[in-house]
Amino acid sequence: MSATLSPPTAAPGVAPDRRRVGVRAAGLGAGLLLLVAVTVLSIAVGAKQLTLAEVWHGLVSPGSPEHAVVQQMRLPRTLLGLLAGAALGTAGALMQALTRNPLADPGLLGINAGASAAVATATALLGVATVRGWIWFALLGAVVVTVAVHAVGGGRQATPERLALAGAALNAVLYSFVSAVMLLDAASLDRLRFWTVGSLATADFTTVATVAPFILAGLLVGLAGARPLNALALGDDAARALGASPALVRAGTVTAVTLLCGAATAACGPIVFVGLLVPHLVRALTGPDLRWLLPYAAVLAPVLLLGADVLGRVLGRPGELQVGLVTAVLGGPLFLRLVARR
């Protein structure tokens, strides 16, 4: 009796894996197209209505009447929105992966509040009034609060719930401190009244050039840690077996989050919910794999931030609503829905 040999078949899961990669790549491409569209809207839409032809004329003709609006106001504002959005979205995804808490966010865990408190202190006591000075204090405040939240939350035995409670407590204390500083010091109130609610309105090319190196460095460190963080999600022992150092991975992630949150907060003020919502929205497509989740967050978070900024300009005409207010109004109900579902 002769055996019948069946034709070779593909390994199980290969075709679905390739299909999944194709879907994720297509989704990322669609996200980039959406980002381009929102960027164009951010440059074209504002308190002063301009046609696309006038926007282009303002970009290429320095002597034109539209130049001051487009080149000196909307373009740096849009660039800062792109950088800050990518920073906040990536930082949120990293925090959620590191703490294994799907509700983790730089704002909810007090990191933005720490940067804000440090900036308010530097403004009131040292007279610092520029982003170049603020950024170093914001980074220091972010580091201190990150360490404090981890320590108060239980250190190595920290759980997602304890970290969230520790972050909420420190968040409340630090924002109360910022409010007290502003009320007691009129000069600080004048300098920080728009900054504390989160705003892109004061952006200029100096601000963009100051924060860009810190945000780009944070993005590179965060993206480089995607694979080790995936391994760390399996536990410390499994991570070591896969060649990752848990201590080094945690240190690198904290460094990335500090750079991203400190730079974004120094430039724009504390903007909440961007780092919480975007990872949740994209995780349905990417799954927990940070090699896809982080690029998606870096692309789609600026879409949310710039979209909220454009919406604030349209709804607030002839003035504008600050982007931090818009993201809070949009993010609050969605956050409550996430908590209810959890």
Side-chain angles (χ1 to χ4, degrees), residues 17-187:
D17 286 345
R18 290 178 178 173
R19 191 180 307 116
R20 191 179 299 115
V21 170
V23 170
R24 291 172 176 174
L28 190 58
L32 288 170
L33 292 176
L34 184 60
L35 181 60
V36 171
V38 174
T39 300
V40 173
L41 276 178
S42 180
I43 298 176
V45 176
K48 179 178 175 59
Q49 297 186 9
L50 298 175
T51 65
L52 290 179
E54 290 173 331
V55 170
W56 177 253
H57 195 56
L59 286 172
V60 300
S61 303
S64 65
E66 299 85 5
H67 175 76
V69 175
V70 175
Q71 191 80 7
Q72 298 178 13
M73 296 174 61
R74 294 186 186 173
L75 184 57
R77 180 175 187 154
T78 300
L79 293 175
L80 183 59
L82 291 171
L83 289 170
L88 294 173
T90 304
L94 290 171
M95 288 296 299
Q96 291 174 15
L98 182 65
T99 62
R100 301 177 189 176
N101 182 0
L103 299 181
D105 170 75
L108 295 176
L109 293 184
I111 299 174
N112 288 347
S116 300
V119 169
T121 301
T123 302
L125 299 182
L126 304 178
V128 180
T130 65
V131 175
R132 289 189 176 184
W134 284 344
I135 193 167
W136 300 107
F137 291 95
L139 292 173
L140 177 61
V143 170
V144 171
V145 172
T146 299
V147 174
V149 167
H150 190 68
V152 174
R156 289 179 176 270
Q157 287 74 42
T159 63
E161 292 78 10
R162 293 177 68 178
L163 287 173
L165 289 173
L170 288 173
N171 203 47
V173 171
L174 291 171
Y175 274 127
S176 297
F177 171 77
V178 172
S179 298
V181 169
M182 293 175 61
L183 289 174
L184 295 175
D185 189 85

Side-chain angles (χ1 to χ4, degrees), residues 45-48 73-74 77 194 201 309-322:
V45 176
K48 179 178 175 59
M73 296 174 61
R74 294 186 186 173
R77 180 175 187 154
F194 290 119
D309 189 45
V310 171
L311 185 62
R313 286 183 249 171
V314 172
L315 295 179
R317 285 175 176 170
E320 68 175 72
L321 296 176
Q322 304 304 320

Side-chain angles (χ1 to χ4, degrees), residues 193-278:
R193 66 179 184 275
F194 290 119
W195 180 87
T196 52
V197 297
S199 175
L200 301 175
T202 58
D204 54 30
F205 285 112
T206 300
T207 300
V208 173
T210 300
V211 302
F214 295 93
I215 292 177
L216 293 176
L219 290 174
L220 290 175
V221 174
L223 292 172
R227 187 183 295 273
L229 268 175
N230 281 340
L232 192 63
L234 302 174
D236 287 10
D237 293 337
R240 293 188 188 95
L242 293 172
S245 169
L248 185 59
V249 173
R250 291 189 177 96
T253 303
V254 169
T255 299
V257 170
T258 300
L259 290 171
L260 295 170
C261 294
T265 303
C268 309
I271 298 176
V272 297
F273 288 122
V274 175
L276 170 67
L277 295 179
V278 172

